[in-house]
Structures are given as C-alpha cells and as structure tokens.
Amino acid sequence: MPNPSLLNLLTGDLPQLAATVQHQRLNWRVADEAGVAVYLRRDDAIHAKLSGNKLYKLHGHLQAYFESAHSKQPIASFGGAYSNHLYALAAAGQILGIPTIAVIRGERPKGAAPTLDDLEAMGMRLHFISRERYKLRNDQALLMALNLELGEPCFWVPEGGAGLLGNTGCQVLGASCSEFLQRVTPNESDAYVVMACGTGTTFSGVVNGVGPSVQVLGVPVLKVGGEYKAEIAAAIGANTRWKLLEDGHCGGYAKFPEYLLKFMVETELEVGVQLDPVYTAKMLYSLATAIKQGKFARGSHIVAIHSGGLQGRRSVEKQLMELYV
Ligand SMILES: Cc1ncc(COP(=O)(O)O)c(C=O)c1O
C-alpha cells in the first residue's frame, strides 16, 4: 500500500499542492543591483524524485490512467538516457504500484548511466529503440508495434508528459505563479515568470494559466527554429504576453560550456540552491543576462521556476567538483 501522502501528491488536488510551494526571494547581486526582485519558485523541493514541472505534467496523465478501463496496464513513455521525465514516471510507478516501461532513444550507453540504473532500481522496464524509429514516437503505428514487442498493450504517455493533459496540469503552475505575483505587486506591468523550455509543454501550459497581467519568458535549452515557435504558439492560443529568450541554449541541448558551469557553481554558492545544468542553470544564466541588459524596469517582480531535474547534475559532477575547489 503506497504511503498516503505520496499517493495524495500524485492523485490529489493539484492547485492545493501548487499553493504550498515556496517562493524564495533570492539574495542575488545581479538582481539587487538592478533593483528587481527575483523569487525562485521551489517546485524542485516538492519531492526528492517527483519534483519540478514533472508532477504538473504527469498529474493529468495519471488521472486518465486511473479512469481508463484498463488501469492494470503498464504505463509506457519515451525519453533519452538521462530523461528527467522517465525518472519521475518511474518514481510515480513505484509509489503507486503501477508497472512502468521506458522506451529509450538509441542504444544503452557503454559507460556509466546513472539515470538508467535508477530507473531499473525503481522497477521500470527499459526498451531501447533506434534513433530512426524513435523519431516516429508520436505515430500510432509505432505504439501498436511496440505493444506487440513489449508483449502487452500499454497506456502511452507522450515523451516528456506532453499533450493536452500535460498542458492542463501546467496551467495550474501558471495560475499559482500569478496568485503569488498578485500578492507581492499591485502593479500589473512589472510581473514576470521565467522558466526553462524543452518540449515547450510546461511553458505553453504556464502561459495559458497565468493571469493577463503577467508576462512569461521562456528559455529554450536547445537551438530552436520557426517550427518550434509555431507549435508553442498553437498550444497557447489567445494570450500574447509571452516571449522566448532564444539565445539561452549555451551551444545547444545538453551542451555545458565552461562559462555556464562556472556561472552555475557561483550562483549556487551565492543563493544557496542547487541547480541542474540542462535546464535551470541555463534559465538563470539567461535571466541574469537579461537583467544586466536592462530588460526589466527597476521594481520588477520576477518568479523564476526551479523546475527540478537535479538528478541530471550527475552528468557534470566531475566538472562541478573541479570548479567547486
Ligand atoms: C528540469 C526540467 N526543467 C524544464 C523542463 C522543460 O519542460 P518542457 O519539456 O515541458 O518544456 C524539463 C523537461 O521536462 C525538465 O526536466
């Protein structure tokens, strides 16, 4: 029987949970000098394994699973060998006693793969497919073929917990940021939310969930083009108070130039919060750059979402240790 508080985390009232998340006012020199208030929204602290944006994205998919007629099926989803999403799904499966399957892009890495080891330790079954096949992950035909290969029909969650259900959960996150900003600033023109974007599911949900007075800035952690922006715009609809800071990728997805890691270590020491190199370090780096460029008026209030992903620190652990000493 799962621990009732964990069960509640996964299946309980999402707005109520979102309202408990702390907004930590950062003592951050770059913000202080510019006269702006930055609040780090500590979604990373929700739960050791199921934290950040993952819970918001998974919540609706899990509800749909429980409402489905076949809720004894395994839940299967897609991701890379370091996926935070698969990590959270494996944790959810372990907590709820549901079998989970990861369909992983490419071959098993030859060297150490701590995330994959953790997935297996949490009871998740791993299934590797070629990169070519992986590109078809949103095609029904591939899901059918995988059901046969895996030996049972699965309940499929899109890569990263994307889709309408993921977007809807992230609207709750947006609404909660707005509620906080309304409490700290009466002035509608100076309220911002900043966050990292991968697939853009969390971002589009947040934009759909915030009130009309809040401007949302997304930092794609990969190089993006017109198609990416068009997909986000299509998922957003009417709200136009959003913008992507497109230069924040620091060379591309999972690229960690030394200046980024140095920034990450210095910021962690300064504000006393751990970051992850793939998402939140790039998000704060871009925010710091925008603040220094004078993009925010004095007196602005900025919520920066700490979307978790700390297990991903292990991919740069050695470089970080060298910078810390
Ligand atoms: C820690 C972290 N932050 C941000 C994101 C970006 O989320 P999305 O793919 O919804 O844009 C992800 C990916 O899920 C993530 O793992």
Side-chain angles (χ1 to χ4, degrees), residues 139-150:
D139 287 6
Q140 209 53 31
L142 178 67
L143 304 187
M144 295 300 165
L146 285 170
N147 281 340
L148 288 174
E149 269 164 49
L150 294 165

Side-chain angles (χ1 to χ4, degrees), residues 255-275:
K255 296 276 188 281
F256 315 120
E258 187 160 338
Y259 69 82
L260 175 73
L261 295 181
K262 203 160 165 281
F263 167 85
M264 178 170 160
V265 166
E266 283 167 5
T267 310
E268 287 185 342
L269 287 171
E270 189 181 352
V271 304
V273 178
Q274 281 201 330
L275 304 171

Side-chain angles (χ1 to χ4, degrees), residues 16-23 41-44 46 56 176:
Q16 232 174 50
L17 172 83
T20 65
V21 174
Q22 187 206 353
H23 292 83
R41 184 179 157 96
R42 299 296 308 278
D43 285 296
D44 61 307
I46 293 175
Y56 298 95
S176 183

Side-chain angles (χ1 to χ4, degrees), residues 17 36 46 65 82 157 167 179 196 201 210 262 265 276 289:
L17 172 83
V36 301
I46 293 175
Y65 173 81
Y82 300 95
V157 172
N167 182 301
E179 274 160 31
T201 307
V210 294
K262 203 160 165 281
V265 166
D276 90 292
T289 307

Side-chain angles (χ1 to χ4, degrees), residues 76-280:
S77 192
F78 294 89
Y82 300 95
S83 167
N84 291 325
H85 160 67
L86 291 178
Y87 190 84
L89 181 62
Q94 189 182 34
I95 291 165
L96 296 169
I98 302 167
T100 52
I101 300 179
V103 176
I104 297 176
R105 182 181 58 235
E107 289 173 9
R108 188 173 193 123
K110 299 249 177 321
T115 306
L116 297 183
D117 295 343
D118 285 349
L119 299 184
E120 287 183 312
M122 288 188 272
M124 187 174 237
R125 177 176 160 197
L126 308 188
H127 187 74
F128 294 85
I129 63 171
S130 71
R131 287 171 189 272
E132 275 313 300
R133 256 186 120 197
Y134 191 89
K135 287 184 189 148
L136 304 173
R137 62 194 174 278
N138 294 324
D139 287 6
Q140 209 53 31
L142 178 67
L143 304 187
M144 295 300 165
L146 285 170
N147 281 340
L148 288 174
E149 269 164 49
L150 294 165
E152 51 194 333
C154 300
F155 180 92
W156 289 96
V157 172
E159 180 190 47
L164 191 59
L165 293 172
N167 182 301
T168 308
C170 294
Q171 289 180 30
V172 173
L173 173 58
S176 183
C177 293
S178 267
E179 274 160 31
F180 171 77
L181 282 164
Q182 271 162 17
R183 284 204 302 276
V184 292
T185 172
N187 187 351
E188 299 206 336
S189 63
D190 65 12
Y192 297 86
V193 173
V194 184
M195 57 190 297
C197 306
T199 61
T201 307
T202 311
F203 179 75
S204 51
V206 166
V207 176
N208 287 338
V210 294
S213 56
V214 176
Q215 170 130 11
V216 190
L217 305 174
V219 178
V221 299
L222 62 164
K223 293 180 184 168
V224 297
E227 205 182 319
Y228 182 90
K229 286 181 265 178
E231 268 176 32
I232 288 191
I236 286 176
N239 187 352
T240 54
R241 299 208 69 207
W242 60 274
K243 200 170 154 194
L244 296 179
L245 305 179
E246 289 177 45
D247 295 332
H249 53 73
C250 301
Y253 184 73
K255 296 276 188 281
F256 315 120
E258 187 160 338
Y259 69 82
L260 175 73
L261 295 181
K262 203 160 165 281
F263 167 85
M264 178 170 160
V265 166
E266 283 167 5
T267 310
E268 287 185 342
L269 287 171
E270 189 181 352
V271 304
V273 178
Q274 281 201 330
L275 304 171
D276 90 292
V278 183
Y279 295 98
T280 47

